[in-house]
């Protein structure tokens, strides 16, 4: 279960493209970081089952593949989440979305061998050079073998962002994000209009005819074709679990917009924000948990029965921001900012597309806590802070905020030096050294904060059970 936001270049503070998504499944789900090298002359079939994945999906891979990055599950090294390839194309997969039961009764998901989020990055990123190529290949796979589940996928390159949604086992739609708008979703298929003649829309060839044939779409009474109305689930589960997250994001970016938080079907698909959106804004919104309202499940004591599901939940195992600045060299112009664990109590650490080797702490980590892996350094801190959120969370959040602000400034300086470097080798050495230092510094800060939180808690516990002899400790 996830929350996604896409932002067009005309409404970002720096003219970049921004994509963000949280990955929310289970707290004990460490992610690793992998740089997959380019390969030539291979004969290989991608097999989910061979890696211990969720089903038996397989797909032939080309002889020559591109270098790409991913942040996969620790156990299978599938479920790659997000990444960029050497051509400058990036993607995030997937946002879980749900089709109508009556549609799935006719065209069910191919759970046995259809494509799922286990496979999408590792099939698309090694062979596609543009967002349009990525959309077309994923669409072709869905049409040929089917989707194993419902999902939304974002694709980005120097020309913009595309968003892809499944409607059933073999039906799909994709649309290019308007440059002057943003889009957000919380586990919902939200695309609506479809114009088969538009160069900024794509879909399965039978998207409309299938719906008409089976009575899901009746033009004479329904009017214009509406994808989400025809294909996607819309019931009481969406009212409190999904709608409020989209409502909250749109409220924060468009404060003057008045909407019923339980009327998600009528929320605008795209909106122009009332102010330009920055990386800092995105970091903030992905940490949102309805602070200052009756729906905040953390600040006034942990409340697991709060009906509104917040954007930032404890079982998030990572949240990422993909930042694309086409005017810069790909090596520094494309960055994944990764916050391991719960974004509200984590820090967004930059991973430049040009980084040449993986930090060891992002190569290890299992479902059992340890003291070395990057994932558990952050997750252990978060688990501790949640024991007394009102006291400890402000300590963690203040320190991580200062770190991010300092990192923002340091990145500007490093990138300027990179552009002025006398050789590619010198520029690359600068990038590698900087990126590894930032990654190490973030983990060192997490460990320092762990000790600070333990110090505070130690004093609080002693104050509760001092057992003094009168006024003295005997």
């Amino acid at each position: 279960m996830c929350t996604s936001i896409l932002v067009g270049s005309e409404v970002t503070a720096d003219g970049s493209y921004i994509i963000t998504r949280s990955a929310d499944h289970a707290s004990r789900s460490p992610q690793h970081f992998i740089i997959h090298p380019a390969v030539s002359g291979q004969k290989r079939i991608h097999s989910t089952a061979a890696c211990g994945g969720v089903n038996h999906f397989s797909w032939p891979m080309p002889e020559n593949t591109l270098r790409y990055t991913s942040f996969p599950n620790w156990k299978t090294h599938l479920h790659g989440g997000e990444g960029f390839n050497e051509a400058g194309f990036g993607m995030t997969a997937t946002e879980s979305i749900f089709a109508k039961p009556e549609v799935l009764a006719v065209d069910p998901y191919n759970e046995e061998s259809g494509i799922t989020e286990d496979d999408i990055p590792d099939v698309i990123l090694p062979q596609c050079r543009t967002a349009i190529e990525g959309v077309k290949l994923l669409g072709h796979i869905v049409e040929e073998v089917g989707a194993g589940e419902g999902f939304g996928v974002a694709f980005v390159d120097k020309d913009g962002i595309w968003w892809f949604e499944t409607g059933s086992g073999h039906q799909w739609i994709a649309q290019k994000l308007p440059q002057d708008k943003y889009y957000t979703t919380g586990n919902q298929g939200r695309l609506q209009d479809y114009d088969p003649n538009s160069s900024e829309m794509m879909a399965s060839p039978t998207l409309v005819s299938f719906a008409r044939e089976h009575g899901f779409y009746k033009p004479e009474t329904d009017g214009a074709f509406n994808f989400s109305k025809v294909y996607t689930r819309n019931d009481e589960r969406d009212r409190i679990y999904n709608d409020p997250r989209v409502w909250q994001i749109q409220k924060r970016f468009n404060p003057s917009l008045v909407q019923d938080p339980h009327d998600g079907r009528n929320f605008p698909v795209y909106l122009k924000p009332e102010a330009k959106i920055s990386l800092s804004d995105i970091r903030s919104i992905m940490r949102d948990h309805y602070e200052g309202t009756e729906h905040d499940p953390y600040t006034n004591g942990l409340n697991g029965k709060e009906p509104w599901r917040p954007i930032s939940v404890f079982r998030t195992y990572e949240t990422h921001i993909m930042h694309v600045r086409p005017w810069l060299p790909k090596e520094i112009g494309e960055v994944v900012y990764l916050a391991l664990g719960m974004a509200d109590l984590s820090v967004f650490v930059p991973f430049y597309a040009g980084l040449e080797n993986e930090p060891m702490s992002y190569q290890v980590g299992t479902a059992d806590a340890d003291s070395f892996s990057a994932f558990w350094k952050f997750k252990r801190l978060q688990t501790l802070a949640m024991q007394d959120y009102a006291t400890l969370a402000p300590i963690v959040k203040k320190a991580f905020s200062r770190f991010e602000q300092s990192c923002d400034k340091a990145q500007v300086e490093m990138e300027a030096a990179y552009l002025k470097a006398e050789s590619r080798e010198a520029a690359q050495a600068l990038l590698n050294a900087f990126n590894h230092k930032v990654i190490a510094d973030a983990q060192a800060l997490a460990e320092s904060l762990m000790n600070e939180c333990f110090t505070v808690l130690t004093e609080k516990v002693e104050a509760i059970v001092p057992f003094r002899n009168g006024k003295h400790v005997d």
Side-chain angles (χ1 to χ4, degrees):
M1 302 299 175
C2 310
T3 305
S4 297
I5 305 172
L6 323 176
V7 190
S9 61
E10 293 181 13
V11 291
T12 56
D14 61 355
S16 63
Y17 300 112
I18 297 177
I19 295 172
T20 185
R21 181 174 65 86
S22 62
D24 316 323
H25 177 62
S27 302
R28 295 168 56 196
S29 299
Q31 302 302 106
H32 293 177
F33 170 57
I34 298 181
I35 299 173
H36 306 263
V39 179
S40 300
Q42 67 176 353
K43 291 184 178 180
R44 182 173 71 89
I45 294 178
H46 173 87
S47 169
T48 310
C51 298
V54 297
N55 67 9
H56 290 85
F57 170 78
S58 64
W59 193 259
M61 299 299 290
E63 289 189 10
N64 302 318
T65 57
L66 302 166
R67 173 194 188 272
Y68 71 100
T69 60
S70 69
F71 295 83
N73 173 270
W74 70 273
K75 194 171 186 177
T76 63
H77 277 185
L78 296 171
H79 207 282
E82 69 280 357
F84 289 102
N85 68 21
E86 63 181 281
F89 159 56
M91 66 184 302
T92 177
T94 69
E95 177 83 24
S96 297
I97 62 177
F98 303 91
K100 287 181 176 179
E102 56 266 37
V103 173
L104 292 177
V106 178
D107 182 23
Y109 297 130
N110 178 5
E111 297 181 1
E112 175 64 23
S113 58
I115 192 167
T116 70
E117 61 184 333
D118 253 17
D119 311 289
I120 294 173
D122 289 303
V123 171
I124 306 297
L125 282 174
Q127 58 183 307
C128 295
R129 306 186 71 87
T130 66
I132 289 178
E133 287 182 16
V135 171
K136 289 181 177 179
L137 178 56
L138 181 56
H140 173 64
I141 294 172
V142 169
E143 292 165 25
E144 288 291 311
V145 301
E149 60 193 354
F151 50 74
V153 177
F155 306 80
V156 63
D157 60 20
K158 63 182 179 61
D159 296 318
I161 298 171
W162 281 78
W163 178 249
F164 180 113
E165 293 181 350
T166 55
S168 64
H170 297 82
Q171 303 296 336
W172 62 275
I173 188 173
Q175 187 169 9
K176 188 175 183 180
L177 176 73
Q179 303 282 38
D180 63 343
K181 300 290 193 302
Y182 72 90
Y183 168 90
T184 183
T185 181
N187 300 125
Q188 296 170 307
R190 300 193 63 246
L191 294 181
Q192 295 185 9
D193 301 332
Y194 173 53
D195 177 2
N197 298 314
S198 172
S199 62
E200 298 189 345
M201 291 185 182
M202 288 186 272
S204 47
T206 59
L207 182 73
V208 179
S209 62
F210 171 87
R212 292 185 64 174
E213 177 185 351
H214 295 283
F216 304 128
Y217 171 52
K218 300 176 181 178
E220 59 276 10
T221 56
D222 296 336
F225 178 81
N226 182 313
F227 173 79
S228 64
K229 183 178 179 181
V230 170
Y231 279 99
T232 63
R233 190 191 73 190
N234 183 38
D235 61 27
E236 70 281 354
R237 289 169 289 185
D238 296 283
R239 301 293 78 79
I240 59 173
Y241 192 83
N242 300 331
D243 289 353
R245 280 180 282 157
V246 176
W247 175 82
Q248 178 74 344
I249 292 167
Q250 292 188 341
K251 179 183 177 183
R252 286 189 57 171
F253 290 155
N254 294 80
S256 65
L257 183 65
V258 178
Q259 303 183 107
D260 180 343
H262 305 297
D263 191 27
R265 183 64 76 193
N266 293 312
F267 294 165
V269 177
Y270 301 109
L271 277 171
K272 183 175 182 177
E274 294 176 21
K276 294 293 182 73
I277 297 174
S278 67
L279 275 177
S280 179
D281 295 328
I282 294 295
R283 292 191 293 241
S284 176
I285 196 67
M286 297 309 287
R287 290 173 167 136
D288 189 279
H289 50 87
Y290 309 116
E291 298 95 317
T293 77
E294 62 181 330
H295 296 289
D296 185 342
Y298 308 137
T299 304
N300 300 310
L302 304 187
N303 178 17
K305 295 183 179 180
E306 163 55 45
W308 283 20
R309 189 269 212 209
I311 295 167
S312 185
V313 293
F314 182 71
R315 60 182 171 83
T316 302
Y317 53 86
E318 63 104 335
T319 300
H320 54 269
I321 303 170
M322 303 184 72
H323 193 205
V324 177
R325 296 166 294 171
W327 60 90
L328 290 172
K330 293 188 294 290
E331 290 78 6
I332 59 171
E334 298 175 345
V335 188
V336 172
Y337 291 86
L338 184 71
L340 289 175
M342 180 188 194
D344 181 50
L345 295 172
S346 191
V347 60
F348 284 93
V349 180
F351 283 74
Y352 280 90
L355 182 62
E356 288 186 324
N357 44 67
E358 306 100 329
M360 182 57 67
S361 60
Y362 281 82
Q363 293 293 291
V364 295
T366 70
D368 296 324
D370 63 66
S371 300
F372 180 74
S373 69
F375 178 86
W376 281 110
K377 286 180 182 179
F378 292 106
K379 200 65 184 182
R380 287 189 304 134
L381 172 63
Q382 294 158 24
T383 303
L384 178 63
M386 290 293 276
Q387 305 311 303
D388 187 349
Y389 187 92
T391 301
L392 302 179
I395 297 172
V396 174
K397 294 167 77 151
K398 183 178 180 180
F400 280 157
S401 176
R402 286 200 304 262
F403 181 91
E404 288 173 349
Q405 293 174 31
S406 175
C407 187
D408 288 344
K409 295 178 182 178
Q411 285 179 258
V412 172
E413 296 172 358
M414 184 279 290
E415 291 167 7
Y418 179 97
L419 294 173
K420 294 178 181 178
E422 295 182 355
S423 66
R424 184 190 180 284
E425 291 73 20
Q428 193 60 49
L430 179 68
L431 185 157
N432 285 327
F434 174 85
N435 210 157
H436 279 284
K437 183 178 187 304
V438 167
I439 291 169
D441 288 349
Q443 293 174 65
L445 177 56
E447 293 179 291
S448 175
L449 286 169
M450 174 83 81
N451 291 332
E452 184 175 351
C453 287
F454 266 118
T455 300
V456 172
L457 277 182
T458 300
E459 292 182 346
K460 288 196 69 172
V461 172
E462 181 179 344
I464 294 170
V465 286
F467 292 104
R468 298 177 184 275
N469 187 354
K471 297 182 177 180
H472 304 283
V473 177
D474 292 338

